[in-house]
Every structure is written in structure tokens, then in C-alpha cells.
Amino acid sequence: MSIKLISVTKIYTVKTSENLKYITGIKELSIDINEGQYIVVSGPTGSGKSTLLSLMGGILKPTRGEIVYHNIHLSSSRDEKISRFREVYIGFIPQNIILNANMTVAENIIAPNGFLKKSLKSLKSETEKILEKLGLLNKKNWFPPELSGGERRKVMVARALVKNPLYIFADEPISELDPESRDAVLDLLREYHENGSGIVLATHSKIDVGTKADYYIMRNGEIFFSGDKQKEW
């Protein structure tokens, strides 16, 4: 199963006090993401990394071009079908931390995944395994305001991974983490990759993901380098 972006362009419309302004986030971009592939996308702020991941994850629709999930065409399929594919097969780790302050760490991970065909007991068990690997098991009953920013980011990682997704789209998953936490997140992503998950990780810095990966550099909504070695942008 693969995800294909075919000549995809994403244009944002911004309303100013005087008129409408059009900003191009992605330009005529074509890329294939295959099952089990690890892709690292780097580039400066505003280069289009977050837009690319949001398009891949079905969160945004392209202005032009086509996105195909296996045999599902994003631009022509019903929203329910797209949502179902995303819920089951894609684990999305956004750059922004979005957690329910009135739910515990464990509840924040389990509740959004309640639609999965897994028992609550199974979800709780998997949640605890992931939290242990991230060094957060002892805080599973804590609430987000009681956690540090880095700990909240790790909860976002756990929430995306607990479904054991076919694809993981991670937007700056290690930003603002201390070295130990950064290593724990990258080790966990590598583990999922070795078990068959395809991963696309966006980063503004040079990192070692600890496994064979394909590296891309983005600027101004375009990919201008790809290879098996990461280069500075």
C-alpha cells in the first residue's frame, strides 16, 4: 500500500484589510511514500514541511493535483472514506500540542483511538508499553497542565503510535526535547519502522534517525534534493 502525491499544489487564501492574498505552500510536488519507507524532510521554517505532512495525512486537501491512498483518491472520495482511512492507517504527530486538560495522560491517548477494533484492555496495555518506553509510565494518571512541554509532546507521540499505524507522519516530534527524550522518541519511531510502518518525519535540524532513510530538503514548497544522506539546507 502506498501514498502518492501527483503534481500537488496547495494555495492558502489569506484575507487582509485591503484584499485577498494568495500564498503557495506546495508547488507542483510529486512524491511516493511506500509502506515501510522512512523519509526525513528538512528545511527552514516556511519551506512547506508542515503543509506536506498535512496533505499526506488527509488533513488538508490540495488546491490542484491528486493524492492517492492505495485506491482512494483524496480529491474525489467522500470525506467519511478519507477520515476512516486516516483513522485506521495513519498516525499523525502534529507540531502543535493539543491535549485535553481535563483528561489524564492515559485518557488523552486512549480516547481518540476508541474507534479501533481493540478492546479497552488491549489499548490500556499498549498505552502503558509506549509510555514506559518514553519514560512517562509513572505519570499516566497525571493531567497535561502538570507536565512539562517536552512531556506533553511525548504524549502526542504516544497517542499517534498506540494504534500501530501503517504510516506515521511526524511534524517536528523532537523539537524542544532534552537529549534523553529525543533519543527515546527516535528509538521508538525506529522500532515502529522496523515493524513495518512507513514514516515521514519533518525536521528543521540535522538528525540521525538510527536507520536507513531517504532524505529530502524543501525550500519554498518544492523538493530540491533527495538522497540517502542528510545535507544541510
Side-chain angles (χ1 to χ4, degrees):
M1 187 180 290
S2 66
I3 297 176
K4 296 179 182 291
L5 277 68
I6 306 167
S7 299
V8 166
T9 293
K10 178 62 181 177
I11 299 174
Y12 296 98
T13 303
V14 179
K15 188 175 182 180
T16 67
S17 56
E18 298 179 354
N19 51 29
L20 294 178
K21 185 178 181 181
Y22 301 97
I23 300 172
T24 301
I26 295 290
K27 300 178 188 175
E28 296 293 324
L29 193 148
S30 296
I31 184 174
D32 290 358
I33 305 97
N34 298 311
E35 191 174 335
Q37 188 176 12
Y38 203 134
I39 293 175
V40 178
V41 183
S42 60
T45 300
S47 60
K49 302 186 302 295
S50 293
T51 297
L52 176 62
L53 264 66
S54 293
L55 287 164
M56 289 177 178
I59 295 168
L60 294 177
K61 285 192 175 184
T63 306
R64 294 191 297 271
E66 185 65 85
I67 300 176
V68 183
Y69 298 151
H70 190 41
N71 60 350
I72 301 173
H73 289 251
L74 181 61
S75 61
S76 57
S77 296
R78 298 190 312 275
D79 286 343
E80 312 90 79
K81 192 173 183 179
I82 296 165
S83 295
R84 184 59 181 165
F85 182 92
R86 185 172 63 241
E87 287 173 349
V88 173
Y89 294 109
I90 293 175
F92 194 87
I93 305 169
Q95 190 170 354
N96 296 326
I97 297 173
I98 307 167
L99 297 171
N100 189 324
N102 298 313
M103 288 184 171
T104 66
V105 165
E107 289 168 343
N108 265 285
I109 295 167
I110 294 169
N113 291 290
F115 61 88
L116 296 171
K117 293 180 179 178
K118 293 184 177 181
S119 67
L120 181 58
K121 182 179 179 180
S122 174
L123 276 173
K124 285 182 176 178
S125 175
E126 189 63 27
T127 294
E128 290 181 358
K129 287 178 184 177
I130 295 172
L131 288 176
E132 184 172 18
K133 291 175 181 178
L134 293 174
L136 283 179
L137 183 57
N138 63 330
K139 297 184 179 181
K140 68 176 183 177
N141 294 319
W142 289 34
F143 293 87
E146 300 174 306
L147 305 176
S148 68
E151 288 171 333
R152 290 195 291 270
R153 186 167 297 283
K154 288 193 286 186
V155 176
M156 296 291 291
V157 172
R159 185 169 71 185
L161 299 186
V162 74
K163 68 172 75 173
N164 192 25
L166 190 61
Y167 289 98
I168 299 165
F169 298 135
D171 193 358
E172 301 285 1
I174 58 172
S175 72
E176 302 173 3
L177 294 183
D178 61 79
E180 184 178 353
S181 295
R182 187 166 58 242
D183 289 345
V185 169
L186 290 176
D187 286 347
L188 191 55
L189 289 175
R190 183 174 66 247
E191 180 182 323
Y192 275 76
H193 173 245
E194 289 172 351
N195 288 330
S197 293
I199 296 176
V200 183
L201 186 154
T203 177
H204 65 271
S205 58
K206 191 171 182 179
I207 61 172
D208 179 7
V209 296
T211 189
K212 182 180 179 181
D214 297 304
Y215 293 92
Y216 295 84
I217 294 177
M218 289 193 73
R219 282 182 184 164
N220 301 318
E222 298 178 280
I223 289 175
F224 72 95
F225 167 81
S226 62
D228 60 359
K229 303 286 185 185
Q230 187 171 18
K231 291 187 176 182
E232 299 287 354
W233 41 264

